[in-house]
Structures are given as C-alpha cells and as structure tokens.
Amino acid sequence: MSTTPFVVKHDGKKHNIEHFLRFHPGGTNTLSLLKNADVTNRLLATHHSAAAYELLKDYRVDEEDVHKHIREDGDLESLVDWNRPMFWQVGSLGPKYKQWVLAPVDRKLRLFGSDFIESLTITSWYMVPSIWIPVMCYLIFIGYQRLSSSIDQTINSDNFTIGILVISSTILGLLLWPLIEYTIHRWLFHLQPPDNSPLLITLHFGIHGLHHKVPFDDRRLLFPPGPAAVLISAAYAIYLMLFPHWMAPLVLAGMIAGYVTYDLIHFYLHYGCPREGSYLYSMKRYHNQHHFAHHDSGFGISSQFWDHIFGTEIVLKKLSRCLKWY
C-alpha cells in the first residue's frame, strides 16, 4: 500500500487517492502514471460510473495540505452524521436511501454506540474458518452416527457403503451452495426496501447495504458469526424437512464448506492480488463491476454460473493489458 500522497486533479480540485490505489477496479498499474495529472477528461472518456464520482469526493484534499480531506457541504454524505452510530440514522433517509447506499465512501463505519454490540457486527477473516470448520466436522460426525444407527436397524452394511453415503451427501450440500449464494445475494441482500419503511431500510442496511457503502472496510467483508448462525439454523430446519434425519446434517456440512469458501473468496476479491489468467483474477474484475457499475447484476461471488442461468451475468470487456493490484 502506498504511504506517500498520490494526488490527481478533477474539475480543478485536488484529490489524494493514495489509499484507493490498491482498490481501483482497473488495477493499481492503471493509475501509476497519473500522479499529479488532471483526470477530468479521462474519467469521461472511460465512462466512469456515478459511484466512482461520488467516491472521488471522499479523497478531495485542501489545496495546500494534501493530508487534509474535505467533503463538500450539501452532498449525499451531509444526509447523515458519520460521527454518530449509523444504524439508527439510515431509516430516515427514505427515498434517498438507495442513492446514498450505492455511493461508496472510503471510511470505517460504526453501526452501534455500544462497544459490545458493535463487536458482534465485525469479523476478521480467520474467524470464519475457525468457527465453522469445527461445526462442519461435528455435523459430519452426527450424520455418520445417525446413518450407522439407521442402517444397523435395517440391513447389515459395511463401512465402505456408509462412507460413500456420507461423502455423497456432503458433496450434495457443497453443490447446492452456489445456488444458495446466488439466491441470498440477489433476492435477500439486494431486495430494495420501500421508501416509506424505516424499519425495512434499516434491516437492509444492516444485512448488506453497509457493505456497498463501505466496500473497503475490511472488518465488514465477511458475515458475522451471529447472523450466519441464524441463517444456517434456518437452513438446517429446512433440510430436516427435505432429507432423511441422518442426511440433513451431512448436507448442511457441505453447505457450510461452500459458505466458508465463499466468504474467504469474497474477502480475497476485495483485498487480494490475483494473477492474470487465474480464476480469481476474473472473479475480482467481475465483483468490482458489481460494486461500482452494475449493482443489479453480477450476484455470483464464487461462481458466475447462476448469473448465466438467470440472465444477470456481467460481460467483462477484453483488456489490452493485465491488471495488477498491489
């Protein structure tokens, strides 16, 4: 990450984008030759989105002191007070909520005044595998125990058959995950709340809107364990209705494996530096487009498959050079 000012000019104003260099959808190398340059015409020529222009405002600095950031009075961010917990403010935005939440800023977000409650809303990347892999292993053990007991009461069967059933049931859960991922992201996370419902606006913001508002806040790139536990418990209740008693925990274990993989991929797509030609290189470009240009498409994080099936796929432009993030 850069430690020295990287100033560009836009409409006669200075912007210090040193922190944004590694997050730029077009790669750090795209910006490397633009230091101290006027990017006004370049932004127009490359058809930058409205979100990009709003984000640029967050990097505006004083003409004399490039470390002193300035935000214009009367713009979108004047609708809220960033010095107060955000959870209790967003419901009052009403019809301006969608425009505000899709205009990203490069800031740390505080949801609640209570330090304890606030700590439940942020997650380090290593917490996801640390919590959910043991749960996954326990579910596989429970499924194995139930299956062994069920088979012993009906027919004699060897360990090989039991093992095949355990593995195939777990793989089924893993294969179901990309569809679950797509469904939750598109029809829950991106369900637009009505303008006249402060409660639904607040819920939307707490579930997913905050991630679009502060996409560079690394504490909010992964789903906190508490809300994840609620969704996983709901999935288990559904699986108990759909599958045999022994099979439900195994399918859930496979789903958790998919979820952990998805969450870690999502973190890497924001903070990682994948190599050109790799699968994650393509997915990083894809997810950047979802954040900054195509909010209503590109819902796949770990896979584009279901975007293709449901017609929400983002077609990435062919590039004349590789992109690098560092």
Side-chain angles (χ1 to χ4, degrees):
M1 182 183 297
S2 174
T3 57
T4 56
F6 192 104
V7 177
V8 296
K9 295 180 181 178
H10 177 254
D11 283 344
K13 302 170 184 176
K14 288 184 177 180
H15 299 79
N16 180 11
I17 62 171
E18 60 176 292
H19 185 248
F20 181 60
L21 291 178
R22 68 174 298 184
F23 301 116
H24 182 241
T28 310
N29 54 327
T30 303
L31 300 175
S32 59
L33 299 179
L34 298 178
K35 190 172 184 177
N36 298 320
D38 190 317
V39 298
T40 306
N41 293 331
R42 189 181 182 92
L43 291 178
L44 291 172
T46 50
H47 306 291
H48 273 61
S49 66
Y53 286 99
E54 286 297 327
L55 180 60
L56 187 61
K57 294 179 182 179
D58 227 33
Y59 299 116
R60 186 185 168 192
V61 292
D62 183 80
E63 290 297 314
E64 302 298 328
D65 184 358
V66 296
H67 292 288
K68 182 179 180 181
H69 288 266
I70 302 171
R71 187 86 196 201
E72 297 176 4
D73 294 332
D75 75 349
L76 278 176
E77 299 317 311
S78 300
L79 297 173
V80 295
D81 184 352
W82 280 88
N83 295 315
R84 294 170 48 220
M86 196 64 68
F87 192 78
W88 309 112
Q89 300 185 63
V90 293
S92 63
L93 291 175
K96 290 186 176 295
Y97 170 71
K98 183 176 182 179
Q99 181 187 7
W100 177 82
V101 81
L102 294 179
V105 293
D106 187 357
R107 308 182 187 188
K108 297 293 186 182
L109 173 74
R110 187 174 183 92
L111 273 182
F112 297 99
S114 165
D115 290 339
F116 173 71
I117 297 177
E118 180 71 6
S119 69
L120 299 179
T121 69
I122 56 181
T123 310
S124 299
W125 71 266
Y126 54 83
M127 290 299 295
V128 173
S130 297
I131 291 173
W132 294 113
I133 288 179
V135 172
M136 179 189 71
C137 294
Y138 178 72
L139 288 169
I140 292 175
F141 174 75
I142 292 297
Y144 171 80
Q145 292 286 83
R146 290 179 181 177
L147 176 59
S148 298
S149 175
S150 175
I151 288 180
D152 288 343
Q153 293 175 9
T154 55
I155 60 173
N156 293 323
S157 183
D158 56 27
N159 289 330
F160 178 78
T161 302
I162 294 175
I164 291 297
L165 290 173
V166 168
I167 293 172
S168 59
S169 298
T170 306
I171 290 176
L172 173 61
L174 180 62
L175 294 177
L176 286 173
W177 171 255
L179 178 58
I180 296 172
E181 171 192 315
Y182 179 90
T183 299
I184 291 175
H185 193 188
R186 179 179 180 181
W187 287 297
L188 177 61
F189 289 176
H190 279 266
L191 181 66
Q192 182 61 33
D195 295 340
N196 60 353
S197 177
L199 174 60
L200 293 180
I201 288 175
T202 301
L203 287 176
H204 178 272
F205 183 72
I207 292 173
H208 189 63
L210 57 84
H211 174 54
H212 277 266
K213 188 62 187 176
V214 288
F216 313 130
D217 189 341
D218 62 337
R219 308 166 308 156
R220 302 193 181 278
L221 292 179
L222 304 114
F223 218 51
V230 173
L231 292 178
I232 288 174
S233 298
Y236 186 50
I238 294 172
Y239 288 165
L240 284 172
M241 292 185 289
L242 295 177
F243 302 109
H245 186 61
W246 64 266
M247 191 175 179
L250 297 172
V251 177
L252 184 64
M255 189 201 80
I256 290 175
Y259 159 68
V260 170
T261 302
Y262 142 81
D263 232 1
L264 295 180
I265 285 177
H266 183 225
F267 185 88
Y268 185 77
L269 295 186
H270 279 268
Y271 269 80
C273 307
R275 291 180 296 178
E276 182 188 15
S278 68
Y279 179 74
L280 291 177
Y281 175 88
S282 174
M283 292 307 299
K284 183 177 178 76
R285 289 189 59 208
Y286 193 77
H287 191 56
N288 278 335
Q289 288 297 310
H290 169 73
H291 267 280
F292 296 105
H294 303 283
H295 306 293
D296 296 325
S297 55
F299 299 107
I301 307 297
S302 58
S303 169
Q304 301 176 21
F305 178 78
W306 289 105
D307 275 315
H308 178 72
I309 297 298
F310 286 106
T312 54
E313 187 176 19
I314 299 172
V315 179
L316 299 176
K317 296 179 180 178
K318 292 184 178 180
L319 302 176
S320 58
R321 66 184 185 282
C322 71
L323 305 182
K324 297 180 180 179
W325 298 272
Y326 47 83

